[in-house]
Amino acid sequence: MREFGELLRTHRIGAGLTQQQLADFAMVSVRAIRDLECGRTRSPRAETVRLLAEGLRLDEGSRADLQQAGGRAAGRTAVAPPAPAGSSGVIVGREAEAAALTALLTEGRPGVGAPGARDVSGRVPEARGGAGVVFGAPLDRTSGRLITITGVGGVGKTRLALEVAGDLHFRHGWSVLWHPAQASPSVDDEQNTVLVTDQRPDPRLLEEHPRLRIVVTALAPTGLPGEHVFPLGALGDDAAVRLLLTHVHRVRPAFKPEPANQAALMGLVHELDGLPSALEFAAGWFMVYSPQHLLERLRSNPLDPTSAHLRDALRRSLSTLDDEGRELLARLAEGEDAGHSAPMRDLCVRGLVRRAGPRYEVLNLVRAAVREPVSGPHLAAGVALTWPV
């Protein structure tokens, strides 16, 4: 049998989580995770094992293996999701998106004013202040109950889903299921339930369970009937600076924003597109760089201070495009104004480009990933670590 620490580390890395991220998701201290992974602690409490399994969103088989490695009998666990991290229980900069997504799920149909949400066609019937509103089309039995959060890798789709699931469970009393699409989840039809998955769900689940809602986190829409697409964009400037400082204070607690470094902090979030994962990894460099020096390094190569996981996530986003989308993105990366088109809408839904006044622009990190020459192994599932030209 594999040691608990080794198995925990394998699952964490496979999920693309840092120790701090897993600690936030699972309500377990970073020190406890570090001690478990290095073997300093060999007999975790049953509650710790449960929280870690929930934070990792393990399927039943993997959960049982983790429980067995920890010396615990496998069994059915509570449905409570990992609680959101951060001050006041809300993830930094996503208050509006979390409220809109919660409203969509609890109302059971599209609601006015939810930022960024669209139906599967991508149409937005009305705009107020530049934000889209959700479609209010007539509902069938499944319409409005399947929501797909789309966006580029590292934008925080899973983190938003965790936030909303926690709100539904703790404030509204819903049951929460973390389940892979390959298995059939056990749904209690006596209570409202939300299933969170990063796989294409079986649409029959919504027909069979009328009180079920499904939230999918994906790079692109699933295309299933009745789907509502919720594109998640990068953080705005102020929110991005707040999130960057939150992470910086974990490595430099005494760091303070001041007039002398304010321009550099704003420059950092611009270079990193306000992408939460990029901001988190860049914050680690504050241990050795001043904001000004880090900004100089970013301007020469914005991917330089990020993690291999984020690089792979960006390339995985690129690999999902068809030939037309790839060609359009390459043209946009070279500064061409490509106008408005269905492929452009698709790039927006995937979070690879964004509106900049009357034009569209490619995210800075995406442009760097497009241009960066890559050689070496392939990602899992045969995704090449190269940009097709």
Side-chain angles (χ1 to χ4, degrees):
M1 183 192 307
R2 297 178 67 181
E3 293 287 340
F4 182 88
E6 178 188 357
L7 187 58
L8 174 63
R9 182 171 56 251
T10 299
H11 282 308
R12 177 179 62 78
I13 294 174
L17 298 176
T18 64
Q19 289 180 339
Q20 180 63 60
Q21 288 172 322
L22 178 55
D24 290 343
F25 291 167
M27 298 186 296
V28 175
S29 72
V30 176
R31 180 176 179 178
I33 293 174
R34 187 184 303 119
D35 288 349
L36 286 167
E37 290 192 355
C38 74
R40 190 175 294 114
T41 301
R42 296 181 179 274
S43 300
R45 295 185 299 114
E47 178 66 5
T48 300
V49 177
R50 182 188 75 78
L51 290 170
L52 289 169
E54 293 288 357
L56 290 164
R57 295 197 299 161
L58 298 181
D59 59 32
E60 291 183 2
S62 298
R63 184 191 302 268
D65 290 343
L66 192 68
Q67 290 172 328
Q68 186 176 10
R72 308 295 174 183
R76 190 169 181 81
T77 60
V79 298
S87 60
S88 72
V90 179
I91 49 177
V92 176
R94 294 296 190 198
E95 295 86 352
E97 290 91 339
L101 188 54
T102 299
L104 277 174
L105 291 163
T106 54
E107 293 168 8
R109 61 172 296 148
V112 176
R118 304 155 186 257
D119 75 346
V120 71
S121 72
R123 298 174 299 151
V124 178
E126 177 183 358
R128 299 177 182 175
V133 297
V134 187
F135 265 70
L139 300 179
D140 57 25
R141 290 188 61 193
T142 63
S143 181
R145 296 167 52 208
L146 169 63
I147 299 175
T148 302
I149 307 173
T150 62
V152 70
V155 77
K157 300 181 293 294
T158 298
R159 186 65 189 85
L160 177 62
L162 287 168
E163 174 76 16
V164 171
D167 186 58
L168 291 174
H169 179 76
F170 293 114
R171 291 184 58 222
H172 298 274
W174 286 35
S175 173
V176 177
L177 297 177
W178 312 100
H179 221 288
Q182 293 86 345
S184 179
S186 177
V187 180
D188 183 354
D189 290 327
E190 297 300 315
Q191 61 179 329
N192 291 321
T193 301
V194 59
L195 167 65
V196 182
T197 180
D198 58 5
Q199 303 290 329
R200 191 175 191 269
D202 185 343
R204 292 175 297 181
L205 288 172
L206 294 174
E207 288 285 352
E208 296 169 356
H209 305 288
R211 299 185 69 175
L212 176 68
R213 307 287 188 272
I214 300 178
V215 175
V216 181
T217 59
L219 299 173
T222 66
L224 292 172
E227 176 185 35
H228 282 270
V229 181
F230 195 98
L232 188 62
L235 292 172
D237 289 349
D238 291 342
V241 170
R242 282 194 290 128
L243 180 61
L244 176 62
L245 291 174
T246 298
H247 292 306
V248 168
H249 289 153
R250 289 173 175 167
V251 296
R252 286 185 59 186
F255 179 85
K256 295 180 180 179
E258 53 191 25
N261 60 33
Q262 193 64 40
L265 291 173
M266 190 61 69
L268 287 171
V269 302
H270 285 168
E271 290 294 325
L272 296 172
D273 301 304
L275 203 64
S277 288
L279 296 172
E280 179 177 359
F281 286 108
W285 288 97
F286 274 64
M287 289 187 292
V288 293
Y289 286 121
S290 69
Q292 293 82 355
H293 289 160
L294 181 57
L295 179 58
E296 291 176 9
R297 181 172 178 177
L298 278 173
R299 283 173 172 164
S300 63
N301 181 2
L303 284 175
D304 188 26
T306 59
S307 70
H309 172 69
L310 179 58
R311 272 178 150 90
D312 291 352
L314 289 169
R315 291 170 190 144
R316 189 176 285 109
S317 295
L318 299 176
S319 73
T320 63
L321 296 173
D322 58 20
D323 291 340
E324 186 177 12
R326 292 171 178 170
E327 180 184 354
L328 177 59
L329 187 61
R331 287 160 47 201
L332 289 167
E334 296 302 323
E336 181 177 333
D337 183 2
H340 304 269
S341 64
M344 181 69 77
R345 181 201 63 81
D346 189 48
L347 294 180
C348 289
V349 168
R350 295 166 187 256
L352 298 169
V353 304
R354 60 188 170 196
R355 288 294 296 270
R359 295 167 58 92
Y360 292 92
E361 66 178 13
V362 180
L363 267 64
N364 199 36
L365 290 170
V366 172
R367 181 184 295 106
V370 168
R371 294 175 173 173
E372 185 177 53
V374 179
S375 60
H378 285 53
L379 289 169
V383 179
L385 292 181
T386 55
W387 172 249
V389 294

